[in-house]
Amino acid sequence: MWKKSDIPESAEKLKAEGYSELASLVMAKAGIGSKEQAEEFLHSETVHDPAKIRNIEKVSEIIWDHIYRDEKICVFGDYDTDGVTGAAILYLMLKRLGADVFARLPDRIYEGYGISMGAVQEEIAVGTKLFITIDNGIKANAEIEEIHRRGCMSIVLDHHQPGDVLPDADVLIDLWVEGETYPFKELTGSGLAWKVACHMLSQVDDYDYGMELVDLAAIGTIADVAPLIGENRSIVKRALKRMRSCWYKREGIKALYDGPLSRITAEDIAFKIAPCINASGRLDVRGADLPLLLLFEDKPEIAKYLAEKVVYFNDRRKQIQKEWYEHMEKEASHMVGNGNKVLVLHADGAPPGVVGLIAGNLKEKFNRPAIVFGTKQDSDGRTIWTGSGRSIAGFHLLNALKTCDDLFLSYGGHELAAGMSIPASNHLLYELRTRLNKIAEYLTEEDLLPVVYWDMEISEDDLTKELYEELKALEPFGEGVRKPVFKMKMHTAPKRHMVMGADKSHLKLFCKSCSAVGFSLASKYIQAELPGVIEGLGYPCESCFNGKVRHEFMLIDFEPVTVQCELMPSKEAIEQEGVRPIGNIL
């Protein structure tokens, strides 16, 4: 189902200030309501003084004290991209300052999220005197207490919502803790790590090196789906400018990214770089260490080798995810047929690191909350089921889980995503499914219909160079600043199209003014009997192949138009793609 999106009233106010209809729409939907805010959104790269963060001087004093005494420091991050990049920032900063530092990431498979008691004991055994958590620690009360009991010190740097009782760390920084003085709360773990790094490096007149670390902060910010507004936007803008420059030095990212860095966007980071950094930690024991090493590497040949390993794991992850999704889709379809409004499934044998991705796939397919459990061993060797859930607007997943808290060993999350674990039991799985579906009875059939929203209607003639340039000027797009979706009638060449990809699932059309690409839309187009006119939803984009930049239209969805079109793209428009389609399959 397609729906026209609601346009905030502030869009008209911005148009009255002289901004274009497109810019006004994008900014209004991002929460911009005044000319002052609009100018900052469009042009500012301002970042706040790190000294405004409460307790940051205490962090600095403790770290310097351990550096001067040559005492071992352990930076404890997380296995996701934000935790990996945050740990990398602190490690590189501390190495630059001469610290005896080691970076450790939790093992997703056996240790789970955050710092653990076993990790604390292992690091103390090898001489660690100071623990710095990044992207975790705000709820690690017992672990922080153990650190102090063993005569060591702790610094907690986190960006997650605090619990009722804060850990008794020597210093704690979480911008969501009541009383914080910093003017921007939406920094991720890597963003917070970057602020600490900039603060400490500026104390030795090495602020420029802090600026070199902004790319890692941006990668973590984008990967953690933080809103690209305020200082987050400035971090990403600064990073993209640096990454596009000829003096960009991060060999690991240069080896990992398969396109021209001179044209990299926030969306490239979200869909190409971040999944690769995440992948090995999802599948392999201590797998998150691999991308961390890649970010440290400054030798191109070694970086290339490590990047190939990282990409290999991501390719494996995609294949495993695809196979398990196809398997679970059949079971989910049966549940939907039986009236389930919340899907709760057990993917017995699936790696625990991919169950959240499968849940996301099922949520997208059926437009209803989905939770998928995998099987793993906990730290005591017991078999448990760990699950990950994704939800839809209108069903607050965490609040629903709270009503079932007697079933869980642990759980947490927010409105649209959550994680949980239960004892290995089909009975408990059935009970959870029953209770959640009881809660979801208020969801109507309309609530469960998949909806694609569009923002503006245009014609093919509107796909001008100026439109592409204006969209580039509005970047970066991401969470909180969504790329506008256009509705457009498109005239395709009769019997002329390409199907692409290893499984021939992707579609390429040659239209009047451009070529259009639709992922996973080939089957729909063929089943519609190759319509000559379609109404499509999507957005303009650029592709680069063999050094040549092409303007394209990325199709999200389409519907055939019954009136047959006589217009065909020119011979040149087709042949510039470098191939000549024959029939309907390349």
Side-chain angles (χ1 to χ4, degrees), residues 249-263:
K249 300 177 182 178
R250 189 84 55 209
E251 295 297 335
I253 298 301
K254 289 164 69 176
L256 184 59
Y257 185 60
D258 63 356
L261 276 168
S262 60
R263 308 190 70 83

Side-chain angles (χ1 to χ4, degrees), residues 192-357:
L192 183 58
W194 183 65
K195 302 303 293 190
V196 172
C198 288
H199 182 69
M200 294 201 64
L201 288 162
S202 67
Q203 293 174 335
V204 293
D205 295 324
D206 201 6
Y207 186 73
D208 286 347
Y209 183 70
M211 288 298 103
E212 289 182 21
L213 300 173
V214 73
D215 62 322
L216 299 178
I219 291 169
T221 297
I222 292 166
D224 222 49
V225 202
L228 297 190
I229 56 174
E231 189 168 24
N232 283 345
R233 191 167 189 81
S234 295
I235 288 171
V236 173
K237 281 184 176 182
R238 285 169 174 250
L240 291 173
K241 184 180 293 185
R242 178 171 292 274
M243 295 171 81
R244 290 167 179 168
S245 69
C246 59
W247 60 83
Y248 182 58
K249 300 177 182 178
R250 189 84 55 209
E251 295 297 335
I253 298 301
K254 289 164 69 176
L256 184 59
Y257 185 60
D258 63 356
L261 276 168
S262 60
R263 308 190 70 83
I264 193 170
T265 66
E267 292 162 295
D268 292 326
I269 292 174
F271 296 110
K272 296 180 181 179
I273 292 177
C276 289
I277 294 175
N278 270 328
S280 55
R282 293 184 184 278
L283 301 180
D284 208 11
V285 175
R286 305 211 66 81
D289 291 346
L290 176 61
L292 185 65
L293 291 173
L294 176 65
L295 296 180
F296 293 158
E297 187 53 57
D298 57 6
K299 294 182 175 62
E301 62 277 10
I302 298 177
K304 182 175 182 294
Y305 172 79
L306 292 173
E308 288 171 351
K309 293 290 185 184
V310 168
V311 171
Y312 162 76
F313 273 106
N314 193 45
D315 289 341
R316 261 188 66 200
R317 185 272 305 168
K318 286 190 282 189
Q319 184 60 34
I320 291 170
Q321 180 183 345
K322 179 177 181 291
E323 290 172 356
W324 273 101
Y325 167 67
E326 290 173 352
H327 176 65
M328 303 310 294
E329 182 188 19
K330 296 174 184 176
E331 187 176 347
S333 182
H334 181 70
M335 287 182 177
V336 171
N338 287 337
N340 282 255
K341 294 181 177 179
V342 180
L343 306 174
V344 181
L345 309 97
H346 179 214
D348 190 17
V354 303
V355 294
L357 302 175

Side-chain angles (χ1 to χ4, degrees), residues 164-179:
D164 295 332
V165 179
L166 297 176
D168 189 23
D170 291 281
V171 191
L172 184 150
I173 295 178
D174 186 319
L175 303 182
W176 296 104
V177 171
E178 187 176 350

Side-chain angles (χ1 to χ4, degrees), residues 468-528:
Y468 285 88
E469 290 300 318
E470 184 172 10
L471 283 169
K472 287 173 66 175
L474 292 168
E475 291 180 349
F477 292 108
E479 182 65 20
V481 187
R482 295 296 187 184
K483 181 170 280 191
V485 175
F486 296 91
K487 181 180 178 182
M488 181 173 68
K489 184 176 287 187
M490 307 171 70
H491 301 81
T492 67
K495 308 293 184 182
R496 297 279 186 172
H497 71 279
M498 292 166 53
V499 293
M500 306 180 298
D503 56 358
K504 303 297 184 185
S505 64
H506 308 316
L507 174 68
K508 187 160 193 171
L509 300 174
F510 300 95
C511 303
K512 175 185 173 184
S513 302
C514 68
S515 58
V517 176
F519 289 108
S520 302
L521 289 177
S523 176
K524 179 174 180 176
Y525 186 72
I526 292 170
Q527 289 174 8

Side-chain angles (χ1 to χ4, degrees), residues 133-153:
T133 71
I134 183 65
D135 197 32
N136 71 93
I138 195 62
K139 294 186 178 179
N141 299 55
E143 290 78 9
I144 297 300
E145 183 180 342
E146 175 68 9
I147 289 170
H148 288 179
R149 193 184 71 79
R150 300 288 293 274
C152 300
M153 299 187 76

